[in-house]
Amino acid sequence: MAQPAAMPVGAAGVAVRQASLREHNLALVLRHIATAAAPPSRADLAGITGLTRATVSALVDDLITGRLLGEVVRTPRSGAGRPALGLTLAGHGPAGLGLEINVDYLAAVLVDLAGVVRHRAVRRIDLRPVPPAEALALVAELITEAGAEADRQDLVLAGTALAVPGLVSATGVVRLAPNLGWRDVDVPALLGGHPALRGRGLSVDNEANLAALGELHAAPPGPANFIYISGEVGIGAGIVLHGTLFRGARGWSGELGHVPVHPEGRPCRCGGLGCLEQYAGQEAMLAGAGLTDEPTPLAGLIEAAGRGEPAARRALVEAATALGVAIAGVINLLDVDTVVLGGVYAPLAGWLAPPVEAEIRRRVLTAAWSPVTVRPALLGGDAAAVGAAGSVVRTVLEQPAQWLARPVH
Amino acid sequence: MAQPAAMPVGAAGVAVRQASLREHNLALVLRHIATAAAPPSRADLAGITGLTRATVSALVDDLITGRLLGEVVRTPRSGAGRPALGLTLAGHGPAGLGLEINVDYLAAVLVDLAGVVRHRAVRRIDLRPVPPAEALALVAELITEAGAEADRQDLVLAGTALAVPGLVSATGVVRLAPNLGWRDVDVPALLGGHPALRGRGLSVDNEANLAALGELHAAPPGPANFIYISGEVGIGAGIVLHGTLFRGARGWSGELGHVPVHPEGRPCRCGGLGCLEQYAGQEAMLAGAGLTDEPTPLAGLIEAAGRGEPAARRALVEAATALGVAIAGVINLLDVDTVVLGGVYAPLAGWLAPPVEAEIRRRVLTAAWSPVTVRPALLGGDAAAVGAAGSVVRTVLEQPAQWLARPVH
DNA sequence: TCGATTTGTTTATCGGTTGAATTATTTGGC
DNA sequence: GCCAAATAATTCAACCGATAAACAAATCGA
């Protein structure tokens, strides 16, 4: 279940018939409406896509009757002629439910087709001592609540995705979530039968991957190429290449935390030596700043850095330098043009970004003529939940024909 | 020109009309014939693709009249019924010309649709003291020769690709080829007008990228995910994900040689510190083994390692360990399942692979349940030239409609 | 109020695929 | 040696989606 929305319509290996043609063009029209700055008219779409106005009309009619689109009057009219009706994504149609389980909180968000967050719930709770089944029972409560909220707002639940800080197999089994203490937890089996899910299944994915998707949603449309770095207790990375999430050959990509930065350096929990996590992980930063005993150590670190505390500043530079070394390796290999600092790195980006950029300049061969941007994440703490919900919405937008033809319950 | 054959037919963003439908299905049928173990019949193809026999027949007819396919009788017949005619890629149709400029040789190969090398030429020459224009004049001779050979064998030149050990821009300009001493050489401008190219243009690409494509061709068909490591004077990498070459956001991917392995280690020509190239590059290996003064140092290294010379063995283990550290980082990030040792690493793979594998086992989180294979390259010295020719052939196979509709000279 | 203009729909046509019927070519049984 | 069964490939009417051009609808400006 960790592979939603990968193949475009008409992808290699599949025979194409007239029906596929329709599917593709439905998706094409819908995508243009979704990414347009202002609600386009049928005529606009015909101009942009190269399809005839007649064809666009037919496609739009299907999408309107399927409750994916709505019509609006465009108030400031320009020039003569019959006024155009603007087309927008329906605010009362399908919505995606995004869930997140993390070390110290649970989150649920409902996102509609337009990407608007229609419902948001967060439970702060330390989940480390909680066994998986109990944690999932708490998630089930969030699902029930979100399902009721969807009904109240006239939204139809199109699907659900769950973000977990760990390695997730293609079938949704959490193979390993070290910081939660989970191992081989079959989440879809335990939670997929929840009545509020309407039998639409539950996809489970890595937290960094889904946060990267959230970032992709939040960023202006275009062929994005970036690496989203999720600094939590561990360090994960979501890699977006050519506007799509890259999951690796077998779904295990993005383990940035265990990229070696000092091959003979500090031993890591994973059995390796000198993994990035040991130098730039949350614990390493706090230890370096001498803040391990604080009640809210992260807030303490931000405050200390703001005060100019030398130990804090030094710890951040050290962490950022290690991060920069690893990222330089990534860029030499993948040539992404943007590095997004997420998770705990986001509020620290002001101090982390300069040393990271310095390492990139030093170590990336092509940096001289292909600049790399380092910036904090656009979304906040529940980025992964928003990204999870967005991933559901994205499948609807990318495969509208499937949604229109869905079995109605 | 460094981006051939990226978009599948019906890719996102393009309106689809009936003609695109045909294009897609032509490619679909052709691909199945190309990857089949034995020549399939029209009926076989109908069964595999899901298209009707009528449709397949129509498509095949187009491909046969366009000289892309041929019919053969399948000798061992099974059971009753009208015997099926096998379909194979034409051996007299389009062919790709692959060229390679490297530090100490030039190479040219002609590859037909079936992937058979129909012509091969190599000139051993030290190109370091030769200015770019003269080197390209030598290449022009190879092109003339190959063009004549194509005519003699009733092959139609479909296109030409050139492999260069350096960074190539999207327009084919060699931005930097340190070991050749080239900088900003506009190869298509200097060579693209050659009459034997038949006005079909010349694409230029990095040597490691094209060698990886060659490896992809040589390997059994399937969704390949590997990193091809090209150890020459520098260290390049061609990354194949889901069966397609990944070139990075802007075409500068694969600079494995400058991934940091010892952040505060030896200074590198690139200005960085502790780049892989300084530990696992050809020069580092030879220096470590004390063989820099030999006339044929590489052969000397292989021989010394075979003899069990301690210095040579030690140098290889050191190089392989550094390589393994960098590769472990790559796998943690990209989760490729195979590492192909190419270039000078290929003949040394017997000694290099075990330490590389050891580092992977130590440092890759998922290695325990997702094994990684390390193996020598299947192709020999002219892998990049074969891959270059193959990349041309691949564009024809992936976009047969374009080939059929080509302007005939 | 009327012409100009632009939007959106209608209608005949075209192109490509489908499915059933037809033709073609072999094997195997009698 | 002939005929039925079996399998391959082609033919042809029908269908479906896109197209192009004509047409209807709605507004602006003179």
Side-chain angles (χ1 to χ4, degrees), chain B residues 108-271:
Chain B
V109 298
L110 270 176
V111 170
D112 68 15
L113 269 193
V116 178
V117 175
R118 302 285 287 264
H119 166 72
R120 178 170 252 146
V122 178
R123 299 254 189 296
R124 301 238 148 249
I125 172 175
D126 185 353
L127 284 168
R128 274 170 289 201
V130 181
E134 277 180 42
L136 292 177
L138 293 172
V139 173
E141 286 176 22
L142 287 177
I143 294 175
T144 308
E145 192 184 314
E149 190 58 33
D151 289 343
R152 197 170 310 133
Q153 296 195 36
D154 196 19
L155 294 166
V156 185
L157 210 60
T160 307
L162 170 67
V164 177
L167 293 166
V168 183
S169 83
T171 55
V173 177
V174 178
R175 296 299 295 269
L176 190 64
N179 301 317
L180 284 174
W182 289 20
R183 180 178 279 279
D184 293 320
V185 178
D186 190 345
V187 178
L190 294 166
L191 210 54
H194 193 292
L197 298 183
R198 306 281 193 277
R200 293 205 193 285
L202 169 68
S203 84
V204 185
D205 207 337
N206 174 271
E207 171 263 338
N209 279 346
L210 290 174
L213 272 185
E215 194 67 23
L216 180 61
H217 266 261
N225 283 277
F226 63 84
I227 178 166
Y228 176 95
I229 299 175
S230 166
E232 301 287 347
V233 176
I235 302 174
I239 302 171
V240 172
L241 304 175
H242 300 311
T244 50
L245 185 61
F246 174 74
R247 285 190 160 84
R250 297 160 300 193
W252 312 123
S253 77
E255 284 305 314
L256 188 67
H258 300 281
V259 167
V261 290
H262 291 285
E264 306 304 326
R266 301 178 196 160
C268 179
R269 281 176 300 134
C270 76

Side-chain angles (χ1 to χ4, degrees), chain B residues 77 83 132 345 398 403:
Chain B
R77 258 203 303 289
Y345 294 145
E398 287 179 351
W403 172 255

Side-chain angles (χ1 to χ4, degrees), chain A residues 17-18 41-43 53-54 57 80-82 84-85:
Chain A
R17 30 188 59 76
Q18 278 96 333
S41 68
R42 293 166 172 80
R53 290 202 306 262
S57 275
R82 171 175 170 175
L85 284 169

